Amino acid sequence: MESVSIMPASLADRIPLPDEALTARMLAKAREGFDRKIVVLDDDPTGVQTVHDLPVYTDWRRETLESGLTEEGTMFFVLTNSRGFSQQETEHAHREIAENLLAASEKTGVPFLLVSRGDSTLRGHYPLETETLRQTLEEHSSVRYDGEIVMPYFKEGGRLTIGNVHYVQTGDCLTPAGLTEFARDTTFAYNASNLLDWCEERTGGHYTARDMTAISLEELRALDYDTILQKLMAVKDFGKVIVNAAEDRDVEVFTAALLEAVKQGKEFLIRSAAGLVRVLGNVDHRPLLKREELRGTDTGVGGLVVVGSHVKKTTEQLECLLNAGLELERLYIRRSGERAGSRTDGSGARDTERENGGSLHQPPGPADAGERRTGQSESQRTDIGGPDLGGGRADGPSRFSDCQGRHYVQRRGHPGAGRPSGVGHGTGSPRRAGVAHGGREQVPRIVLRDLSGKRRRCYHAAGHRRHAADAVGGAYAQQCGGPSGRKEREAAGAVYRAP
């Protein structure tokens, strides 16, 4: 494994960028005759942060994918939220997606280029997701994938790849990703910062660094289009292609060569962060949303900021928000058994702890009693049982993880006591918060409140995985006591547009 060290943020500046106008003409020419719809599978809701005016679906039924393939535009997203799934659930979801997407493509006659959008700090179910997609698509069609593009570049977050080493920028320093807190994630830990070594590490040596293809920053900035295209045309047997990038123009040069290779018959799956997705979809830059755009018509009820990440950077961002002089009320999710109370830190924000909280992402259990663990996304929920928690399959406790995520606000038990386990509830069922039944906690639901404390909406945490992110996207807003069956939930619709 290559030795790496912290470097200055100006590391890539030693290589001059290519002419902007020439790069734009090259990319525009490559887009001519490219007739595939770009389908982005997003493992976390943050994947749409570099794009706008695009459809984002929160389910992957065949008819949904048919709609995505046939509507106007070059690209659409499918929010899988799979970063919060177990390995078994991730494999099942991606096999189902591949089968449905292939069927939708055959029915509509629209070919596709498939992108697995992952984390720019290299966390997530890799290579499981892309390997499952490849195997399933090849099993059910004549397509044979020549290679996989690996490009975790994300300029806005300071995630750059230079000399095949992936860096996380902090101030004036570039820290190799393998030396950051992200690499110590309790679920998706890794060691390597060099992406060739990282791919070898993650694939258990099935793909070795010496057999991979690297597209260098020098080649991209010299506009060595022919060399890059030749490298892509030579890739076979699902070989890994590591792409360096430190600026969007690097991505544009590579995208031009990639589109041309695809037009010439090469087949690639793509594993990338948000940087490549914007360029592939030909989405123009847009500045950050302003206050007026976020608030729209002032309703007087304020807004909701959900903080769900456990890393230091998120803590620093939260501290900045709390010290901004705004009128805020903080809602803490506390574990069952913890004492409620006020917390003060001098920021001036009002702190409130809500009843019978507990982390939906990492519920308390016997193994971690008294200690809050973070970063865990496997199915380890032991206090929820029953033959079916609403997903239509009898998987027992593991079904809860379909809606385990980092995006939910509050947990409440439902419905009331006195009903047999595993039975769905209708509009007339009694409800009491935090009621235990048969020695176990009831199936949770999510309750959102405005700053006045008034209950607004509830989302059933035991829903099918394809509705796992609906609380974030707003696609499915089931009122308390609304339809609880799978068909009824799916009929409620599952599409919203990124702002």
Side-chain angles (χ1 to χ4, degrees):
M1 188 176 298
E2 178 182 337
S3 177
V4 294
S5 59
I6 297 175
M7 303 296 288
S10 59
L11 180 62
D13 295 346
R14 59 187 173 84
I15 311 172
L17 286 165
D19 180 75
E20 184 177 1
L22 183 57
T23 302
R25 288 196 298 271
M26 178 185 297
L27 181 55
K29 183 179 180 180
R31 294 192 193 280
E32 296 176 359
F34 184 79
D35 61 351
R36 299 197 186 195
K37 181 64 70 79
I38 300 167
V39 181
V40 183
L41 306 182
D42 199 355
D43 75 343
D44 184 271
T46 58
V48 298
Q49 60 190 311
T50 61
V51 299
H52 57 86
D53 298 317
L54 289 172
V56 179
Y57 294 93
T58 57
D59 83 276
W60 47 87
R61 291 172 297 162
R62 185 179 304 179
E63 52 269 34
T64 299
L65 299 176
E66 290 174 6
S67 176
L69 290 171
T70 55
E71 68 176 302
E72 294 184 3
T74 60
M75 179 169 67
F76 70 91
F77 279 69
V78 176
L79 179 54
T80 68
N81 222 37
S82 58
R83 205 180 302 174
F85 286 7
S86 68
Q87 290 188 2
Q88 181 181 4
E89 291 164 335
T90 298
E91 182 176 2
H92 175 84
H94 283 74
R95 179 170 291 277
E96 187 176 51
I97 291 169
E99 292 172 351
N100 289 346
L101 181 59
L102 189 61
S105 176
E106 292 174 348
K107 181 177 179 179
T108 61
V110 179
F112 59 87
L113 177 64
L114 192 54
V115 180
S116 172
R117 203 292 302 184
D119 182 37
S120 61
T121 59
L122 308 180
R123 297 168 298 173
H125 289 289
Y126 180 84
L128 177 62
E129 292 176 342
T130 52
E131 190 63 37
T132 300
L133 292 170
R134 179 190 71 84
Q135 292 177 3
T136 306
L137 291 170
E138 291 185 349
E139 178 183 344
H140 295 283
S141 72
S142 60
V143 68
R144 295 296 179 266
Y145 282 96
D146 298 295
E148 177 182 26
I149 308 299
V150 178
M151 192 176 189
Y153 163 81
F154 177 40
K155 176 68 175 180
E156 292 82 355
R159 318 292 159 73
L160 318 175
T161 307
I162 305 169
N164 300 329
V165 176
H166 194 56
Y167 293 97
V168 175
Q169 182 174 352
T170 305
D172 295 330
C173 296
L174 295 176
T175 303
L179 303 181
T180 67
E181 60 178 330
F182 304 107
R184 298 189 295 273
D185 188 279
T186 56
T187 303
F188 304 116
Y190 58 91
N191 297 303
S193 300
N194 184 299
L195 290 181
L196 285 83
D197 295 333
W198 178 80
C199 283
E200 180 172 337
E201 175 187 351
R202 296 298 295 174
T203 63
H206 185 77
Y207 296 91
T208 61
R210 65 176 178 273
D211 295 327
M212 298 177 194
T213 300
I215 307 298
S216 70
L217 211 58
E218 290 80 1
E219 292 167 333
L220 292 165
R221 298 194 172 182
L223 290 180
D224 196 352
Y225 178 82
D226 291 338
T227 297
I228 298 171
L229 181 58
Q230 289 174 7
K231 285 186 173 183
L232 292 175
M233 296 301 294
V235 176
K236 60 182 180 179
D237 300 329
F238 205 50
K240 309 308 175 192
V241 180
I242 306 304
V243 185
N244 289 266
E247 295 288 347
D248 284 355
R249 214 169 305 171
D250 304 323
V251 183
E252 292 168 0
V253 175
F254 174 74
T255 300
L258 174 62
L259 295 180
E260 184 60 36
V262 172
K263 289 194 295 184
Q264 293 188 25
K266 298 297 284 187
E267 294 286 354
F268 292 99
L269 282 176
I270 300 172
R271 178 71 171 194
S272 78
L276 175 60
V277 171
R278 186 194 66 79
V279 177
L280 266 178
N282 198 21
V283 180
D284 62 329
H285 276 290
R286 178 174 176 173
L288 295 175
L289 293 174
K290 299 179 180 178
R291 176 185 177 92
E292 295 76 18
E293 295 175 289
L294 285 170
R295 290 183 67 90
T297 303
D298 195 341
T299 61
V301 296
L304 177 69
V305 179
V306 182
V307 182
S309 179
H310 62 278
V311 297
K312 180 182 178 182
K313 181 176 289 291
T314 300
T315 301
E316 293 172 346
Q317 291 171 332
L318 177 60
E319 290 172 349
C320 181
L321 173 64
L322 295 177
N323 294 322
L326 302 174
E327 182 181 353
L328 299 171
E329 177 183 0
R330 284 182 291 189
L331 306 180
Y332 283 92
I333 302 176
R334 58 182 172 83
R335 299 164 65 137
S336 298
E338 284 187 341
R339 294 179 59 188
S342 298
R343 306 185 187 188
T344 58
D345 59 4
S347 67
R350 292 177 293 153
D351 291 9
T352 304
E353 292 184 291
R354 297 302 189 192
E355 69 270 29
N356 85 302
S359 170
L360 285 179
H361 182 51
Q362 175 55 42
D368 65 332
E371 176 186 1
R372 181 157 187 165
R373 297 167 55 195
T374 56
Q376 179 68 26
S377 60
E378 294 293 328
S379 302
Q380 296 184 356
R381 187 82 187 193
T382 59
D383 58 344
I384 295 179
D388 187 0
L389 299 183
R393 296 187 323 200
D395 291 349
S398 69
R399 300 301 303 145
F400 181 72
S401 68
D402 285 348
C403 284
Q404 271 184 290
R406 302 166 171 83
H407 317 289
Y408 296 122
V409 179
Q410 184 183 5
R411 185 172 62 120
R412 294 176 65 88
H414 105 276
R419 298 189 319 103
S421 63
V423 178
H425 89 99
T427 57
S429 300
R431 307 180 187 94
R432 291 192 318 198
V435 176
H437 174 66
R440 63 175 177 84
E441 191 173 75
Q442 292 299 297
V443 178
R445 63 180 173 177
I446 309 307
V447 179
L448 303 186
R449 298 173 182 266
D450 62 33
L451 292 182
S452 68
K454 181 179 180 181
R455 182 186 304 179
R456 285 298 186 190
R457 306 249 188 183
C458 76
Y459 303 86
H460 289 276
H464 192 266
R465 78 168 68 80
R466 58 188 58 164
H467 301 290
D470 289 350
V472 182
Y476 166 55
Q478 178 183 336
Q479 297 290 345
C480 294
S484 60
R486 174 176 173 179
K487 292 183 179 179
E488 289 84 354
R489 289 196 302 270
E490 293 177 349
V495 62
Y496 70 98
R497 288 189 176 270

